[in-house]
């Protein structure tokens, strides 16, 4: 078989374990042109669905890789643009479900979910990840949507979809310094996410080169405040931070330093809790934490009279 045209990986994914990626739309065809997009600015800003891929070809490519790979957790549509713009999405997903016994996921910005056929096609997936970075003016500033889109229609359709969908919904919110980290803006986003009631809520920071140079990640303080706002209203177990490009490795508690680093890659950790873990392994837990601060691996951030260990965000 020739070079794979639609399929890449499997690659370790921050949300989905070992994920075999499907790129079903050409670069860079999207309904948004997000300021933080790691693919650069959108060159084909559109809301028109077209048959961008060849379903049989995609499934053949997947099968040839699945046959040689020991472990694939998900087959994930994560293209160079917005996957629901592909009119053949539903057809491809149906054939995959028919022929391959691996769960199917899609990372979509959700901007076409108000279209009935898109909603039906998304129901074929076991996991649907939806993007919600801001509402109204903030949505326009961050996501720079196609002018025919309306955030109210999108949000209402997301909430409607969640009522009947049987799989897992994830949401992803990108936090950007000086843009959507003010508490009133975050509270609006949290209110919408509460109505959707997803399985998991992810907070991302721009860690790869963004479309616009001025886009900066939040400070560790801003990230902690945002995390607390989300966790307080949605539940701590539901909210996770994606602040590393690769999924954190999970170490057994026997290696307490690595264990703590892997934990705070996902959730900021209370100082007293970290000390609790560390003192099982060292009589100087405080010193070990100071060393991690000096090594610039973590930051200590005070929030509402509690000190938290927060993963240091790498700035370009
Ligand atoms: S929706 Fe995704 S692909 Fe489209 S511009 Fe935004 S980040 Fe890039």
């Amino acid at each position: 078989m020739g070079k794979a045209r639609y399929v890449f990986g499997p690659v370790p994914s921050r949300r989905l374990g070992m994920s075999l990626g499907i790129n079903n739309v050409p670069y860079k065809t999207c309904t948004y042109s997000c300021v933080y997009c790691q693919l650069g600015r959108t060159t084909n800003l559109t809301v028109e669905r077209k048959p961008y891929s060849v379903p049989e070809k995609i499934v053949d490519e997947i099968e040839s890789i699945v046959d040689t790979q020991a472990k694939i957790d998900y087959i994930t549509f994560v293209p160079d643009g917005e996957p629901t713009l592909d009119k053949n999405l539903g057809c491809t997903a149906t054939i995959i479900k028919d022929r391959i016994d691996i769960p199917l996921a899609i990372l979509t910005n959700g901007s076409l979910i108000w279209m009935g056929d898109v909603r039906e096609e998304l129901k074929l997936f076991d996991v649907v990840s939806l993007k919600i970075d801001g509402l109204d003016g903030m949505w326009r500033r961050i996501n720079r949507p196609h002018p025919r889109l309306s955030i109210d229609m999108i949000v209402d359709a997301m909430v409607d979809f969640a009522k009947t969908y049987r799989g897992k919904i994830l949401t992803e919110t990108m936090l950007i310094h000086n843009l959507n980290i003010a508490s009133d803006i975050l509270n609006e986003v949290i209110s919408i996410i509460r109505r959707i009631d997803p399985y998991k809520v992810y907070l991302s920071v721009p860690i790869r080169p963004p479309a616009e140079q001025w886009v900066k990640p939040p400070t560790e303080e801003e990230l902690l405040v945002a995390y607390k706002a989300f966790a307080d209203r949605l539940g701590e177990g539901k909210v996770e931070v994606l602040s590393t490009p690769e999924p954190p490795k999970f170490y057994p508690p026997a290696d307490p330093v690595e264990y703590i680093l892997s934990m705070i890659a996902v959730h900021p950790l209370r100082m007293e809790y970290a000390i609790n873990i560390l003192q099982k392994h060292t009589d100087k837990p405080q010193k070990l934490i100071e060393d991690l601060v000096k090594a610039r691996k973590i930051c200590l951030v005070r929030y509402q009279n509690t000190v938290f260990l927060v993963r240091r965000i790498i700035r370009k």
Side-chain angles (χ1 to χ4, degrees):
M1 196 185 128
K3 197 171 166 287
R5 203 177 134 207
Y6 296 112
V7 181
F8 60 93
V11 289
S13 140
R14 294 186 291 170
R15 278 158 290 191
L16 299 164
M18 284 308 281
S19 162
L20 187 66
I22 314 294
N23 186 3
N24 65 322
V25 297
Y27 181 91
K28 208 209 134 174
T29 305
C30 197
T31 52
Y32 286 176
S33 184
C34 303
V35 291
Y36 58 78
C37 184
Q38 63 189 49
L39 301 166
R41 290 183 190 156
T42 296
T43 45
N44 183 17
L45 186 70
T46 179
V47 287
E48 198 187 333
R49 301 191 80 204
K50 285 187 185 167
Y52 282 116
S53 64
V54 183
E56 282 291 340
K57 175 98 174 59
I58 293 184
V59 183
D60 285 351
E61 281 185 27
I62 297 172
E63 279 181 329
S64 72
I65 294 172
V66 164
D67 287 349
T68 61
Q69 295 288 330
K71 185 175 182 287
I72 297 172
D73 298 309
Y74 279 95
I75 295 170
T76 310
F77 282 70
V78 51
D80 288 345
E82 170 49 36
T84 59
L85 278 169
D86 181 11
K87 221 173 183 167
N88 285 338
L89 179 71
C91 174
T92 309
T94 305
I95 306 176
I96 296 173
K97 295 240 81 148
D98 232 39
R99 286 185 11 200
I100 302 166
D101 189 20
I102 295 177
L104 207 51
I106 185 165
L107 309 189
T108 168
N109 62 26
S111 60
L112 300 182
I113 199 166
W114 48 275
M115 295 180 174
D117 47 353
V118 169
R119 256 198 323 273
E120 286 312 305
E121 289 166 30
L122 289 177
K123 287 182 184 163
L124 297 166
F125 288 79
D126 301 286
V127 173
V128 173
S129 175
L130 301 170
K131 184 187 292 296
I132 309 167
D133 298 325
L135 300 178
D136 307 321
M138 193 50 68
W139 171 65
R140 292 201 177 281
R141 281 176 72 187
I142 295 178
N143 302 117
R144 300 189 297 196
H146 187 281
R148 274 181 45 205
L149 292 172
S150 137
I151 188 66
D152 292 340
M153 272 173 78
I154 293 169
V155 162
D156 287 348
M158 283 179 178
V159 173
D160 254 15
F161 174 75
K163 283 182 193 150
T164 53
Y165 175 62
R166 302 246 165 264
K168 287 180 182 163
I169 296 183
L170 317 178
T171 61
E172 184 166 349
T173 301
M174 182 68 85
L175 300 172
I176 306 169
H177 180 61
N178 273 342
L179 268 187
N180 61 346
I181 36 115
S183 63
D184 52 333
I185 290 164
L186 287 182
N187 278 331
E188 283 176 359
V189 171
I190 295 168
S191 297
I192 298 303
I193 293 177
R194 265 170 77 115
R195 287 172 62 203
I196 295 170
D197 192 20
Y199 172 74
K200 277 266 181 219
V201 175
Y202 289 100
L203 299 178
S204 302
V205 300
I207 42 180
R208 300 193 176 96
E212 305 304 336
Q213 289 302 311
W214 51 262
V215 169
K216 297 284 174 249
T219 64
E220 284 79 4
E221 288 79 4
E222 288 168 340
L223 178 62
L224 175 64
V225 171
Y227 170 79
K228 287 294 291 169
F230 273 71
D232 288 350
R233 284 185 63 196
L234 300 167
E236 235 173 70
K238 204 167 250 204
V239 183
E240 286 194 10
V241 176
L242 301 172
S243 60
T244 55
E246 302 301 334
K249 295 187 182 71
F250 280 92
Y251 292 87
D255 185 346
V257 170
E258 291 299 345
Y259 184 64
I260 279 182
L261 286 177
S262 70
M263 282 180 85
I264 64 170
V266 180
H267 307 279
L269 204 61
R270 281 180 194 82
M271 174 71 102
E272 60 193 68
Y273 185 71
I275 287 182
N276 230 330
I277 295 173
L278 288 171
Q279 64 196 5
K280 293 182 188 131
H281 304 270
T282 168
D283 49 0
K284 291 185 181 144
Q286 198 77 40
K287 161 95 174 57
L288 208 145
I289 291 171
E290 279 165 22
D291 289 348
L292 286 174
V293 173
K294 274 190 207 138
R296 300 178 62 79
K297 293 199 166 159
I298 65 170
C299 291
L300 301 183
V301 181
R302 177 174 288 278
Y303 178 72
Q304 291 179 345
N305 292 327
T306 308
V307 176
F308 287 82
L309 279 63
V310 182
R311 173 92 181 205
R312 188 171 274 278
I313 298 170
I314 311 288
R315 289 180 171 74
K316 298 271 179 287

